[in-house]
Amino acid sequence: MKNTLKFILPAIALWLTGYVSAAPVYCGFYHGSQTNAGLYTFTNLQHPFATIKKRIGSWPFPPANWQGLGFDGLNYYTFGRTAAYGGAGLHKYDGVAALPLISGTCTFADWHGIDFCNGVYYGLYHGTAAAQGLYCFTNAANPFGTGSRRLFILQTFPSSIWRDVAFDGTRYLFVRSAAAGNPGIYQYNANNKFTLVSGAETYADWEGLGVYEKKVYVFLFGGQSNALGWGYHQYLYDTTNSLAFPQTDVEMFAGKGLPPLINTLTKLQSGAGNPTVKAGSPQQYPALTGTDAIDHFGPELSMGRTARDLISDPCAKVAVIKYAVAGTSLWQDWKPDGTANSDADGLQYRNFQATVQSGLAALQTKYPDYEIKIIGMGWVQGESDALEGQAANYFTNLTNFVADVRATFGKNIVFALSKLSPNQNSSTDFATVRTAQESAAATVPGVAATDTTGAKYPVATGFAEGSLHYKSPALLQIGEDLGVKLVLISGLH
């Protein structure tokens, strides 16, 4: 069967786009006669009152006193034009009662639009201290300070025409004034083109526009035994690590591990590691028996936690989809052909694709009104290729694998590779694979390699797991390294 993902999710074409789109949530201040004045959220730009989700709070937000509106999924940002609530400037509203001034002495008197997306403000400036136009900035108290940048320099977005700006991470939307003619909401693109997207709705009775795209950011994870993981849950308890407990803000879907966690959408937790006790002795935790002895984890645990902590959007959901199998090679078991067609792919790579499909379907079921987007993939593998005489081919196979995953699940997926460690094996073949991993990171856009040298990456020399396998603290460090790289190169920090 060619690319079974097409048959599982045909309506959303996820195998081409890398995401499931969903209706964004808009917000605005209404001051017309159809209902009470105030802040409302809705989901259809052409028919806001047909899709009103709810009124936020009870304050009417008089249009003379409050102008412009931004929304990050949790809080609302608006310009206060009077001395109320701490003075003129940018205010942050929690949707209930708190409406503090967050811009200090900066009054934003020369600004006429505002939004906030992924930790960055977007505002329309019409003053004389700088060129007029659309700016992004990170400091509400100093919009022209460090991190400030003007966008779309072909447009000045004058206040006589455009009343507000909204940005959802992909689209720039502008509210056109009735005084300028043809009022409504327009989408603007880099080709200097405005497109009316609100139909006959003119927004004459509205002030400000904010937008938030509800998102699930998905991180894939795969590889061989160190990806599957010999980390001990008991180690997390012994070191009082918070990862000993399920992470309530990160989802997990694993194709291998300890039942009943496998092939089930659950919270990120230990149990997706090697579901067996390594034969032989000595054991790292000889007193453990039964489920306690096989409650293992891999780098996915700290990778998912780190990614969630670093992503600037506090409202976005984060999920890890994992499939890893011990002793598997890239040249055979994970063999890619570099295309979205899975017919010629290796068995474990096909199983990985099926796991990803199932995980995405589970996420879509749980979060039907969220955009579900695959951001990146962590890869911990290479030992088998080094041991099976395939080290010289690793670079070609690895770059084909990256191309194949992107062709299958999204062209913009970023990769973080954990390099083989000299702590595992000092042979020439291991060094060759490390060089191949470094070369892939240096030559393929959107690929990074993390180092595994030094005392932070201890291996299980002297224990049943053997020197090829990392101990618990190393697996946690590897996952943290991968999580940092994935978020940084994807631009979500």
Side-chain angles (χ1 to χ4, degrees):
M1 181 182 295
K2 293 182 181 294
N3 196 1
T4 56
L5 187 55
K6 296 181 180 179
F7 296 90
I8 293 177
L9 298 173
I12 56 178
L14 182 61
W15 65 96
L16 292 177
T17 63
Y19 67 90
V20 179
S21 61
V25 176
Y26 305 95
C27 62
F29 297 129
Y30 181 72
H31 50 82
S33 59
Q34 295 189 51
T35 189
N36 294 328
L39 175 58
Y40 289 85
T41 59
F42 53 95
T43 57
N44 189 330
L45 283 176
Q46 297 187 14
H47 305 285
F49 271 98
T51 59
I52 287 289
K53 293 179 72 67
K54 62 180 178 179
R55 185 184 185 201
I56 307 301
S58 59
W59 182 247
F61 288 98
N65 297 343
W66 303 98
Q67 298 173 355
L69 183 61
F71 181 41
D72 66 1
L74 183 64
N75 294 294
Y76 304 83
Y77 302 81
T78 183
F79 295 137
R81 299 307 192 191
T82 70
Y85 294 94
L90 184 60
H91 292 253
K92 180 179 178 180
Y93 180 47
D94 66 357
V96 182
L99 191 56
L101 177 72
I102 62 173
S103 59
T105 59
C106 181
T107 65
F108 283 89
D110 293 329
W111 296 76
H112 58 281
I114 190 67
D115 205 356
F116 186 72
C117 180
N118 293 338
V120 178
Y121 297 95
Y122 296 81
L124 297 176
Y125 178 72
H126 61 261
T128 58
Q132 297 183 1
L134 174 63
Y135 285 84
C136 64
F137 54 95
T138 57
N139 187 347
N142 185 14
F144 289 122
T146 302
S148 175
R149 182 164 60 94
R150 186 183 172 198
L151 306 173
F152 306 125
I153 60 175
L154 295 178
Q155 280 288 340
T156 59
F157 303 102
S159 58
S160 60
I161 299 176
W162 304 107
R163 292 160 38 202
D164 200 8
V165 61
F167 180 57
D168 64 4
T170 303
R171 300 173 304 150
Y172 291 89
L173 302 174
F174 295 85
V175 184
R176 187 177 178 92
S177 170
N182 300 316
I185 310 299
Y186 287 75
Q187 183 172 335
Y188 180 74
N189 62 31
N191 295 322
N192 199 29
K193 181 180 179 180
F194 291 94
T195 303
L196 179 67
V197 293
S198 59
E201 175 61 59
T202 65
Y203 286 86
D205 293 329
W206 294 80
E207 169 63 39
L209 176 71
V211 60
Y212 178 73
E213 191 91 37
K214 295 193 291 185
K215 305 176 183 73
V216 179
Y217 292 131
V218 179
F219 294 90
L220 310 180
F221 183 69
Q224 56 181 109
S225 56
N226 279 311
L228 189 54
W230 284 105
Y232 283 84
H233 194 186
Q234 186 62 43
Y235 172 83
L236 301 173
Y237 282 131
D238 291 348
T239 56
T240 64
N241 193 311
S242 62
L243 291 173
F245 307 97
Q247 305 297 292
T248 59
D249 56 349
V250 185
E251 304 283 357
M252 179 180 73
F253 190 95
K256 287 277 188 178
L258 183 67
L261 299 182
I262 57 174
N263 295 318
T264 302
L265 189 63
T266 185
K267 297 303 180 183
L268 182 69
Q269 58 190 283
S270 182
N274 280 284
T276 60
V277 176
K278 186 72 172 179
S281 61
Q283 300 290 333
Q284 293 185 49
Y285 286 90
L288 297 180
T289 60
T291 301
D292 290 339
I294 59 175
D295 190 347
H296 298 137
F297 64 85
E300 77 287 340
L301 195 60
S302 50
M303 185 186 84
R305 179 68 267 156
T306 300
R308 171 62 279 179
D309 290 344
L310 290 179
I311 291 172
S312 60
D313 184 349
C315 298
K317 306 294 183 183
V318 173
V320 175
I321 299 178
K322 171 183 176 177
Y323 181 82
V325 183
T328 53
S329 64
L330 181 56
W331 73 272
Q332 185 176 43
D333 303 298
W334 291 82
K335 182 181 68 174
D337 69 355
T339 73
N341 188 325
S342 62
D343 289 354
D345 294 338
L347 173 61
Q348 299 306 334
Y349 182 35
R350 295 199 302 272
N351 290 341
F352 167 81
Q353 293 173 62
T355 298
V356 174
Q357 295 161 15
S358 298
L360 293 171
L363 287 168
Q364 188 183 15
T365 297
K366 184 170 182 178
Y367 301 104
D369 58 344
Y370 278 66
E371 175 191 25
I372 300 173
K373 185 173 185 179
I374 300 176
I375 298 299
M377 179 169 179
W379 181 244
V380 180
Q381 194 277 336
E383 293 90 343
S384 290
D385 297 76
L387 295 171
E388 295 172 11
Q390 294 294 321
N393 300 320
Y394 197 81
F395 175 80
T396 298
N397 291 330
L398 180 58
T399 53
N400 283 342
F401 182 71
V402 171
D404 197 301
V405 171
R406 286 174 171 170
T408 304
F409 294 113
K411 64 181 181 179
N412 295 320
I413 292 174
V414 300
F415 278 78
L417 320 168
S418 180
K419 294 190 298 185
L420 294 189
S421 175
N423 296 347
Q424 298 174 283
N425 189 306
S426 59
S427 71
T428 300
D429 286 333
F430 267 63
T432 299
V433 171
R434 281 198 301 276
T435 299
Q437 294 166 328
E438 293 168 351
S439 297
T443 59
V444 182
V447 176
T450 64
D451 206 0
T452 51
T453 59
K456 289 185 177 181
Y457 305 92
V459 295
T461 301
F463 291 100
E465 291 88 341
S467 62
L468 291 181
H469 297 123
Y470 293 108
K471 296 175 70 176
S472 300
L475 293 171
L476 293 174
Q477 185 62 55
I478 288 170
E480 181 179 336
D481 297 342
L482 295 175
V484 169
K485 288 291 187 182
L486 289 170
V487 173
L488 290 181
I489 61 180
S490 64
L492 292 177
H493 60 289

